[in-house]
Amino acid sequence: MPETAMNAGQVSGFYMPELAKVYRTCRKETDIIIEAGMHSGRPLGHMPGQFVQVSVFGYGEVPISICSSPTRTPDRFELCVRPVGGVTKALYNKNSEDWIGIRGPFGRGFPVDLTKGKDILVVAGGIGIAPLRSLINYIMDKREEYGRLIIVYGAKTPDLILFTSDIEQWENQPDAEVYLTVDEADNSWNGRTGVVTLPIREIEIDPARTAAMVVGPPVMYRFVAMELLKKDMDPDNIFFSLERHFKCGIGKCGHCQLNDLYVCHDGPTFRYSDLLARTEAIEAWAPEKDQD
Ligand SMILES: Cc1cc2nc3c(=O)[nH]c(=O)nc-3n(C[C@H](O)[C@H](O)[C@H](O)COP(=O)(O)OP(=O)(O)OC[C@H]3O[C@@H](n4cnc5c(N)ncnc54)[C@H](O)[C@@H]3O)c2cc1C
Ligand code: FES
């Protein structure tokens, strides 16, 4: 079984949502961070890159990445939600003491065991930072087990940058390299401007000892893959997390099918080399072979 795949024998929280209590929320105009804990008291038991199916009673159920690291507060977990439709807007309105339903954790997360000893290049676009924040804090807590930690994070505008206090901490770590950029600057911004591929170009990496973990909008994947291949990275060492419409979240209903794969069960994290043969996955963002 893959190292972070769900435990298929697990019954509790597998088909039936379990109650979880909202302990704390941090709401901004564009998103909310919800800290919750299982009513049963069981630790969520997730790994970075996994997701939960979150129910808002009377509204529905949606997949949301777990954005906290399992190395911190094992009896609590955090979700970062951007309100885009019915269920996520209902989640956005949650307050402490409210109840939500949780199934999971599900899916295959980032290959944290397989990449031990390697330099880790994290590339996040937009809300893609949510699962990667779990990974980054996991690596921070096991720092001696990994090589360099390089974090590239791009947001559309400065007000859309998430986890600003984490970013400040990462920037203050001598053994982390942080490249933050925005597509469109405003008067409050005196940092980098431009898409995430620009800082990637600047960074010198040893392709043989680097693993890249990438989460963001599909259009970003095409260009990030191009930059990483230009740096001689092997597609075996590049990992993308994919998004599809999920229903069951456990490989039963076929809603998330991508060629012969179920994204919810076989992913959401995939090796780039495994996606190259899956036309459905890469037709929108694969680098063209003749592009230099
Ligand atoms: C593995 C995974 C992890 C996710 N993690 C997060 C997270 O950490 N935070 C977060 O805010 N969101 C996350 N999402 C996206 C979230 O699940 C969707 O935004 C949510 O399902 C929308 O449901 P809704 O009822 O609010 O809106 P709907 O009314 O169902 O949809 C609103 C709009 O979003 C589009 N949409 C809905 N679901 C998806 C999807 N999966 N992919 C692309 N477009 C979609 C719809 O087509 C529609 O245009 C994740 C999705 C997946 C598959
Ligand atoms: S969401 Fe049902 S199989 Fe993936």
Side-chain angles (χ1 to χ4, degrees), residues 245-257 262-265:
H245 289 271
F246 287 6
K247 286 288 178 204
C248 69
I250 53 172
K252 301 286 182 204
C253 72
H255 256 82
C256 65
Q257 190 164 2
Y262 287 151
V263 174
C264 68
H265 179 265

Side-chain angles (χ1 to χ4, degrees), residues 51-219:
F51 66 93
V52 279
Q53 291 285 112
V54 184
S55 315
V56 186
F57 305 115
Y59 290 87
E61 192 184 45
V62 286
I64 300 290
S65 304
I66 305 143
C67 66
S68 51
S69 167
T71 49
R72 303 183 182 181
T73 59
D75 55 334
R76 302 268 177 105
F77 57 92
E78 288 177 335
L79 308 171
C80 175
V81 181
R82 193 150 274 175
V84 294
V87 182
T88 47
K89 282 181 183 163
L91 267 175
Y92 180 78
N93 290 324
K94 287 286 159 204
N95 292 302
S96 49
E97 304 296 315
D98 284 346
W99 296 95
I100 53 176
I102 295 287
R103 288 192 300 123
F106 295 142
R108 207 189 291 196
F110 303 113
V112 288
D113 285 340
L114 207 70
T115 54
K116 269 186 192 159
K118 286 197 177 273
D119 294 344
I120 307 293
L121 169 62
V122 168
V123 183
I127 195 150
I129 189 69
L132 288 169
R133 182 238 198 179
S134 173
L135 175 73
I136 294 165
N137 286 336
Y138 180 92
I139 293 173
M140 287 289 183
D141 293 345
K142 294 173 180 273
R143 200 62 199 88
E144 67 293 347
E145 295 180 13
Y146 297 88
R148 286 168 70 193
L149 175 59
I150 310 159
I151 302 163
V152 180
Y153 172 28
K156 266 195 188 136
T157 50
D159 57 312
L160 287 175
I161 296 171
L162 294 161
F163 306 116
T164 45
S165 59
D166 288 78
I167 293 169
E168 214 172 290
Q169 283 173 23
W170 302 337
E171 284 175 331
N172 288 329
Q173 295 296 320
D175 52 5
E177 301 156 58
V178 182
Y179 298 81
L180 190 58
T181 182
V182 297
D183 292 352
E184 294 159 36
D186 60 19
N187 290 339
S188 72
W189 185 250
N190 54 14
R192 281 163 205 279
T193 307
V195 291
V196 284
T197 43
L198 297 176
I200 296 176
R201 275 183 210 165
E202 282 174 38
I203 301 165
E204 283 196 18
I205 59 163
D206 176 349
R209 53 165 295 135
T210 303
M213 317 280 182
V214 187
V215 191
V219 64

Side-chain angles (χ1 to χ4, degrees), residues 222-223 226 230 286-292:
R222 171 194 171 91
F223 295 104
M226 279 168 61
K230 275 190 214 163
E288 282 152 24
K289 287 197 178 73
D290 56 355
Q291 210 143 1
D292 62 21

Side-chain angles (χ1 to χ4, degrees), residues 37-49:
M38 303 308 286
H39 180 50
S40 63
R42 78 157 168 105
L44 190 61
H46 69 288
M47 290 300 283

